[in-house]
Amino acid sequence: MITDLLQQCFSAFILYWFLTILFMLSLWHNYITVHFRKKPDPRDVRGSHTSIHQHDDQGSTLPVPTLQQHLRRVSRTSISSSTPLDIESDEENNIEYDHTISAIISEETQHRIDQPRETLENTEVNAHHIGDNPFDDPLATEDKKLVPHLKYYYRQYDIDVEEYEVETEDGFIIDLWHLVPLNMTPQENKRLKNEAYPMLMVHGLLQSSGSFASGGRKSLAYYMFESGFDVWLGNNRCGFHPKWNMDKLRERHGPNANLNFKKWDWDVDEMTMYDLKSHIEYILNKKPHFKKLTLMSHSQGTTQAFMGLVNGTKLYNNKDNVTGFSLLDRLDNYIALAPAIYPGPLLNEKMFVRFMGSGIDHPWVFGKRSFIPLMMQMRNLAAGTKPFSFFSYIMFNYLFDWNDILWDRCLRDRHFLFSPIHISVKLMQWWLSPDPTKISFKHGADKIFPPEKTWFPINKTEESEENSNKNGNSNEDDNDDIEKISTPPLHLNKTRENAKHFPRILLFIPRQDRLVDGEKLINHFINHEDKSIYKIWYIDEYSHLDVLWAHDVIDRIGKPVLDNIRLPEDISAGINKDI
């Protein structure tokens, strides 16, 4: 008890100075960047250290020119930008390379955007920026006031946010938010329950699912709702206000257990086994006409989802799984934004990230419970003020080299209203621990997600035999080759009959995301998964948060999602793809 108290006090002292120094360096970095290191284009174009390559049947790497002989097209003008989308399609590997470079916002344009709403309402809007958007200028109608509650903003769009508390099997109370029509009529309630197809969105590390909705009418949550989906925003354990069922914790861990420690004894495994499962089961229980839903997640949320999809046979094989839950069998589609499956070079480049990694396993530095609780105390005091949002941005910018060049500047402060959240030190150990004996994201990703094994095996024998017969190849040697190709090294999932027995997987990978190695994930899919299971978008100018907050995210993510997801036939007519 005394040791624990001393550790908490010493850790609080260390973290106070850690945040103070980080804050000062972030301010200095922002000052230098703004005043002395201006660039015509401040985007980070370095990418990760991995190159995209395809193997032939013998395992040899195909030459780069072969990969570049793709169909390239320039599409219509987008809703949110006057820049046409420049797309290069690799149909063989099911990848679309988005080479679009949107125009950098000029100071004059930014000044117009930052004007008060009354001025904007009288401002003529460039027709190229309107497209087929139902609003002449969505930004002109956005409330610039900072209020850390989604309901405040969404009621202005005639949408209410229902808030549910869901109890997990291990005793945590987690928040689930539901977008519904404001002042819903009985007919709308019936349609929502029985006809609207469910979509669950799950957030990334240190965020809440408000990140999917903070862009208002230009957010993915709003776009999917207006397109006819029943949108649910799932939040992982602890969130803004940690809650537990203490009776269940005592029952699970015994009367003599240190519950103050057990409340924070969790990482990605528990978030996958219990939080994600609880959200999905709760939603499907509310919607008895649906057996499956579509899951969209960002960053850490993609780690949870792939943990459940790739390692679910092991993770869900426990005494708590009395319903026989299988994530593979509860999803029609899975949409991964900036998937965090393999670590990127930034984890070893940034001084403060390295410091967190070197000290994360030491209880005298970061403690053993909540990760940097002072951060949440500051949020409780200052959330909803411009200084809090500004300081949040410059610290993210300093730590990860992310910037707001592609965001709508007038919405930037709002984006940071819904973060950070409480997380456990154990979770950060899972992400950053340098201990080679521990399975962590930084050192154990290849063990968790083996890149050279097939995660979603389907039976190719019949298809291979058909192709062989068409080509006139029917001798025994060729049959041996078919057998070798049809039985790749598998991970944990059993072979299924065809791609329809697995969720449809859509991957949106930002090229400038150096926090994770998206190129390594692309290489896995194009070399070890069947092309009918997935489709990939590789977006040249996007970074880790742009997949949520870029000004043209509806065009480059929202619309492609609607065009490529697999929907049950009886509800496809209810989805509006023309918004």
Side-chain angles (χ1 to χ4, degrees), residues 62-130:
L62 292 177
V64 173
T66 305
L67 290 176
Q68 300 304 318
Q69 295 170 359
H70 308 148
L71 174 65
R72 189 158 182 168
R73 66 182 188 277
V74 177
S75 76
R76 57 172 174 74
T77 301
S78 71
I79 288 175
S80 305
S81 172
S82 59
T83 307
L85 300 183
D86 180 4
I87 307 296
E88 179 184 359
S89 295
D90 176 2
E91 296 181 357
E92 180 183 353
N93 293 302
N94 238 357
I95 305 178
E96 291 206 352
Y97 296 89
D98 185 341
H99 300 301
T100 310
I101 301 298
S102 56
I104 303 300
I105 298 177
S106 67
E107 292 184 6
E108 179 181 354
T109 304
Q110 191 61 63
H111 175 70
R112 185 187 67 82
I113 290 175
D114 288 337
Q115 292 180 67
R117 184 194 302 179
E118 294 79 14
T119 307
L120 279 167
E121 288 174 349
N122 298 320
T123 302
E124 183 178 354
V125 181
N126 189 328
H128 290 296
H129 289 265
I130 298 175

Side-chain angles (χ1 to χ4, degrees), residues 38-45 101-102 104 403 405 512 541:
K38 289 184 178 180
K39 300 178 182 178
D41 184 350
R43 289 167 288 194
D44 187 347
V45 296
I101 301 298
S102 56
I104 303 300
N403 59 54
I405 189 64
Q512 296 179 34
E541 70 172 348

